[in-house]
Amino acid sequence: MTTINDVAQYAGVSKNTVSRYLNNRGYISQMTREKIHNAINVLQYHPNQIARSLYSNRTNLVGLVIPDVTQPFFSTMTACIEDQLDRKGYKMILCDTKDSSSKEKKYLEMLQENKVDGIIIGSHSIDIRYSDISAPIVALDRNLADDIPVVSANHEQGGRIAAQAFIRHGCKKVIQLVGYTKVRTPSGKRHAAFGEEMMKHGIACHTYELGLNQFDFDSYLDVADMILDRYPDLDGVFASDMVALAVQKRALTRGLSIPADLLVFGYDGSFIYKTAYPPLPTIIQPYRQLAKVAVSVLMKLINKEKVDELSYTIDVKPSMQEGGI
């Protein structure tokens, strides 16, 4: 097995210089860097990550904790966060809790035992004291604790943009399907804003709350059947994309015309909304910007730098389809 001594000898430099190159510490001339880089490639040297971690007090690992990677919002966020971490020289450990609080607790213990440099958390557990975790944390669209920075979309803006579509469409009776309200999340602002706009324009607005970590599409179909049965004169539905698509599917099987009879409006704007027919108007969350800010804030915490604030909000935008409503 090739050692750091072999690399130093091949490159004609000291072991300490190779070590500084590997850990990006101190000044090294470009010529020396090229010699070491060439030696590493020729000898196929693979640094001992454990030794490097002990030397630098860093593992260059970040944990990402989410409730369900099969959900389009979380899978899209996962891809964007991984890309941003890679740009910073970090590797990501994905922890998919499968909606289990006990599983999340085990994951959090594992991440701390493996000395990850930081954690990004977007899970929906309500019985975990996140402020007790020693590693730096950034919350993704969750209010985990008063001292943990949270990065989210501008949900209030999104709720108002969506509301305007229902107003322009001439809706008289709408329903919005919301997530489990005991989960503290900035996304609640979009529903509050939407409801305010409906009330302001004299539009009847009902609210149905989904269960904790309710992500199964079949359960969304059941909810769709329930609301269509309960509100036969409904002419508008506002929900996250997957729920909205379930409602649209059930409405079409009942012979309703979309959007003439029922305006179905989504929220999230991941790849999934593009698969719908008729097209699903939706609010697109700024996935890349959310990932970029979350990783940037986490890097500051890892480097023990002061963060500018504890809440970061990024504007959303309507899909192209929305413009035609």
Side-chain angles (χ1 to χ4, degrees), residues 8 52 157-158 160 173 187 221 234 242 246 273 283:
R52 290 183 67 184
Q157 176 197 34
R160 297 194 188 283
K173 186 175 184 178
S187 64
L221 293 173
L234 201 66
M242 290 292 283
Y273 88 93
I283 299 297

Side-chain angles (χ1 to χ4, degrees), residues 92-248:
M92 185 183 77
I93 299 177
L94 175 61
C95 301
D96 185 350
T97 68
K98 294 300 181 188
D99 320 327
S100 168
S101 176
S102 60
K103 189 174 182 180
E104 180 177 351
K105 291 175 182 176
K106 293 176 182 177
Y107 268 135
L108 291 172
E109 289 176 3
M110 180 271 290
L111 291 174
Q112 292 179 91
E113 288 170 357
N114 284 273
K115 305 295 184 183
V116 294
D117 294 336
I119 308 174
I120 297 174
I121 298 178
S123 54
H124 289 179
S125 298
I126 58 176
D127 61 346
I128 296 176
R129 286 177 53 87
Y130 295 97
S131 56
D132 291 342
I133 297 172
S134 58
I137 294 175
V138 169
L140 178 64
D141 204 33
R142 277 293 314 277
N143 300 109
L144 299 178
D146 293 339
D147 59 343
I148 295 178
V150 56
V151 178
S152 67
N154 189 337
H155 293 297
E156 182 176 353
Q157 176 197 34
R160 297 194 188 283
I161 292 174
Q164 291 305 310
F166 288 86
I167 295 166
R168 289 196 303 271
H169 195 67
C171 290
K172 301 298 181 184
K173 186 175 184 178
V174 306
I175 187 170
Q176 59 172 332
L177 294 100
V178 307
Y180 192 62
T181 55
K182 288 186 179 180
V183 176
R184 296 177 59 230
T185 167
S187 64
K189 295 179 181 178
R190 79 170 176 254
H191 302 298
F194 182 84
E196 288 173 5
E197 291 297 315
M198 294 296 98
M199 182 182 297
K200 193 182 299 182
H201 289 81
I203 301 173
C205 182
H206 301 272
T207 299
Y208 179 83
E209 181 177 333
L210 298 171
L212 175 63
N213 288 320
Q214 185 175 348
F215 296 123
D216 181 67
F217 188 74
D218 286 340
S219 75
Y220 295 159
L221 293 173
D222 292 338
V223 170
D225 282 328
M226 182 274 295
I227 64 170
L228 292 173
D229 287 340
R230 184 178 297 181
Y231 305 103
D233 54 345
L234 201 66
D235 57 10
V237 177
F238 179 43
S240 62
D241 287 352
M242 290 292 283
V243 182
L245 288 172
V247 173
Q248 181 163 296

